[in-house]
Amino acid sequence: MNQHKTRIYLSPPHMTGREMDFLKNAFDSNWIAPLGPHVDAFEKEMSEYIGVKAALALSSGTAAMHLGLKLLDVGPGDAVFCSSLTFSASANPIIYQGAEPVFIDADVKTWNMCPRALKLAFEDAEKNGRLPKAVITVDLYGQSADYDPILELCNHYGVPVLEDAAEALGATYKNKKCGALGKLNVLSFNGNKIITTSGGGMLLSDDEDMIAKARFWATQARDPAPWYQHSDIGYNYRLSNLLAAVGRPQLEEIESRVAKRRQIFDRYREALGTIPGVDFMPEASFGRANRWLSVMTLDPEAIDIKPLDVMKTLEKHNIESRPVWKPMHLQPVFEKYGFYTADEDNSFSERAFETGLCLPSGSTLELSAQERVIEIISDVLKKKGNKQS
Ligand SMILES: Cc1ncc(COP(=O)(O)O)c(C=O)c1O
């Protein structure tokens, strides 16, 4: 077996080389706390980059989703519409709040919340007298959802949007950045994201009062009193000053990281996209995707090999790849909840899961490593996969 020693990861952390200077500065000032100048600066720099009035640095994107739902007053007995094709952290906080998710299918053009399925869900909810308390959109793999039709529907029914832009830092929708499209918006700085603080997240909004309230909850809900007094239940959700220091130099390089990931995607598409039955996640014309992960699809009508077979072959060569997210409505923990699709016979989120494979996409991926990945995939598909041969 042609086992390579150096493993190629899906999306490993990418340090700029300046993180240690920022960390040293944090140590020297002795701000070893979930407060401090790097946290303040990270929030300010991120809100300026995204184009929103306020930001709150948190210990994870999941914590940001949780506080977002709490700010929207989601509680027991409420329904929340949520994009089905996503990672479970988009939906879990609905359960933390004692509410009930209703999953919405994805659209073939964007791979994100399908406005036609959303409309069906709203019409039923209105008929049943149970409108959702919030709608969670996701900007999957770094591509924005199609916000104009989604927001038109949500505004019509008076329901706020919580944008899960965890994967989409640096992506755009029309003239706005992902992370600025909902009433409340979430970013993640988890280890595999386009910038990473090892773990971390942010909640962003133009509503400064909401962010102030979330800051209060995230810092153990301490009332302004000389002693520890609490008139509400709090959380310990703040990002440490050390981790904010790690994130700041990476944010400065966000544009070159997006360019690098887009270049990686283009190379995959050029090298593999001409093989019959091979396709790639499309880029919607309304904006710029950050191509956080490059996703290839294999049409079962044209190719005999499945994404999982390609994944196994890559693994034998010490290369990490990953199936497309298994939709939430198919997850054992969520299958009892509702699901809306505009196409009963052909749910797009199910098709994406069955046919898609995420390829190594990190901004540190070297050309020679990517060529190795391409060669292996190309060999598997050409030798074994093509149904005509
Ligand atoms: C779509 C999506 N939502 C939410 C999260 C949760 O973010 P975190 O890992 O920072 O809690 C992630 C990634 O981890 C994600 O990919």
Side-chain angles (χ1 to χ4, degrees):
M1 176 49 53
N2 183 13
Q3 180 68 271
H4 251 271
K5 279 197 221 81
T6 325
R7 182 161 174 77
I8 300 179
Y9 289 98
L10 191 72
S11 181
H14 178 178
M15 295 298 111
T16 63
R18 291 181 295 131
E19 285 78 1
M20 291 306 274
D21 298 336
F22 279 70
L23 273 171
K24 184 169 184 316
N25 171 285
F27 272 88
D28 289 348
S29 65
N30 206 30
W31 277 107
I32 318 290
L35 288 172
H38 286 292
V39 174
D40 297 345
F42 194 34
E43 289 174 346
K44 183 167 178 290
E45 287 154 7
M46 187 63 82
S47 59
E48 279 168 9
Y49 174 72
I50 298 286
V52 287
K53 288 194 185 136
L56 172 65
L58 293 163
S59 53
S60 68
T62 310
M65 294 294 298
H66 185 194
L67 292 182
L69 289 180
K70 196 171 155 67
L71 283 169
L72 298 176
D73 199 27
V74 169
D78 290 332
V80 175
F81 291 174
C82 179
S83 197
S84 189
L85 187 58
T86 185
F87 178 52
S88 62
S90 306
N92 284 339
I94 303 171
I95 307 292
Y96 302 166
Q97 284 301 98
E100 192 183 304
V102 175
F103 295 109
I104 311 292
D105 202 8
D107 184 284
V108 64
K109 290 194 292 294
T110 63
W111 288 40
N112 284 310
M113 185 176 276
C114 168
R116 289 172 304 136
L118 179 65
K119 186 163 185 279
L120 294 176
F122 265 126
E123 285 168 357
D124 263 6
E126 191 177 37
K127 241 182 276 159
N128 300 332
R130 193 172 174 237
L131 285 175
K133 225 23 187 310
V135 170
I136 297 175
T137 56
V138 178
D139 306 319
L140 200 77
Y141 298 128
Q143 166 153 271
S144 172
D146 190 0
Y147 282 94
D148 281 353
I150 291 173
L151 288 175
E152 195 184 316
L153 279 165
C154 292
N155 292 341
H156 173 78
Y157 288 100
V159 178
V161 167
L162 173 59
E163 180 195 7
D164 179 352
E167 301 172 359
L169 179 62
T172 63
Y173 179 73
K174 301 196 172 167
N175 54 359
K176 284 187 142 185
K177 293 238 168 54
C178 285
L181 294 153
K183 172 92 183 145
L184 290 157
N185 313 284
V186 168
L187 294 170
S188 165
F189 317 121
N190 182 29
N192 61 11
K193 296 298 186 289
I194 194 160
I195 74 168
T196 181
T197 57
S198 78
M202 220 176 257
L203 183 66
L204 304 105
S205 179
D206 273 331
D207 189 324
E208 291 165 288
D209 292 342
M210 276 186 148
I211 295 298
K213 185 81 199 186
R215 194 179 297 278
F216 166 74
W217 282 328
T219 323
Q220 304 284 27
R222 286 165 58 178
D223 290 343
W227 43 81
Y228 280 81
Q229 177 167 300
H230 306 275
S231 43
D232 204 346
I233 296 296
Y235 302 85
N236 186 1
Y237 274 175
R238 297 303 310 273
L239 184 72
S240 107
N241 193 54
L242 297 182
L243 299 187
V246 174
R248 289 182 63 205
Q250 294 174 59
L251 178 58
E252 286 173 8
E253 297 187 0
I254 182 65
E255 290 302 318
S256 64
R257 288 182 179 208
V258 172
K260 185 72 205 285
R261 289 198 189 236
R262 289 180 61 84
Q263 187 188 41
I264 289 168
F265 177 89
D266 289 343
R267 253 191 238 130
Y268 280 128
R269 193 175 44 193
E270 271 159 37
L272 301 167
T274 51
I275 301 172
V278 175
D279 212 339
F280 283 84
M281 180 179 175
E283 181 170 40
S285 57
F286 51 57
R288 175 184 74 166
N290 73 5
R291 295 297 191 193
W292 171 57
L293 294 184
S294 291
V295 191
M296 175 180 80
T297 58
L298 301 179
D299 177 2
E301 304 287 313
I303 279 189
D304 243 346
I305 193 160
K306 301 226 169 332
L308 285 185
D309 300 323
V310 178
M311 186 170 104
K312 277 186 210 144
T313 305
L314 287 170
E315 192 52 51
K316 281 188 197 143
H317 291 266
N318 210 9
I319 297 168
E320 186 185 19
S321 61
R322 185 201 274 170
V324 160
W325 299 125
K326 181 173 178 172
M328 291 304 111
H329 70 277
L330 299 181
Q331 297 287 353
V333 72
F334 290 130
E335 64 192 5
K336 63 174 185 255
Y337 298 108
F339 171 62
Y340 282 86
T341 173
D343 187 352
E344 285 297 341
D345 304 325
N346 201 2
S347 146
F348 181 73
S349 56
E350 290 178 23
R351 184 147 47 101
F353 169 56
E354 281 155 20
T355 62
L357 187 69
C358 304
L359 303 177
S361 309
S363 43
T364 50
L365 185 69
E366 304 223 333
L367 179 60
S368 57
Q370 191 178 2
E371 281 170 347
R372 208 173 109 208
V373 179
I374 288 170
E375 195 185 317
I376 293 162
I377 298 176
S378 167
D379 276 1
V380 185
L381 296 181
K382 283 185 185 149
K383 282 187 196 139
K384 299 194 201 146
N386 203 318
K387 281 194 168 170
Q388 276 91 49
S389 58

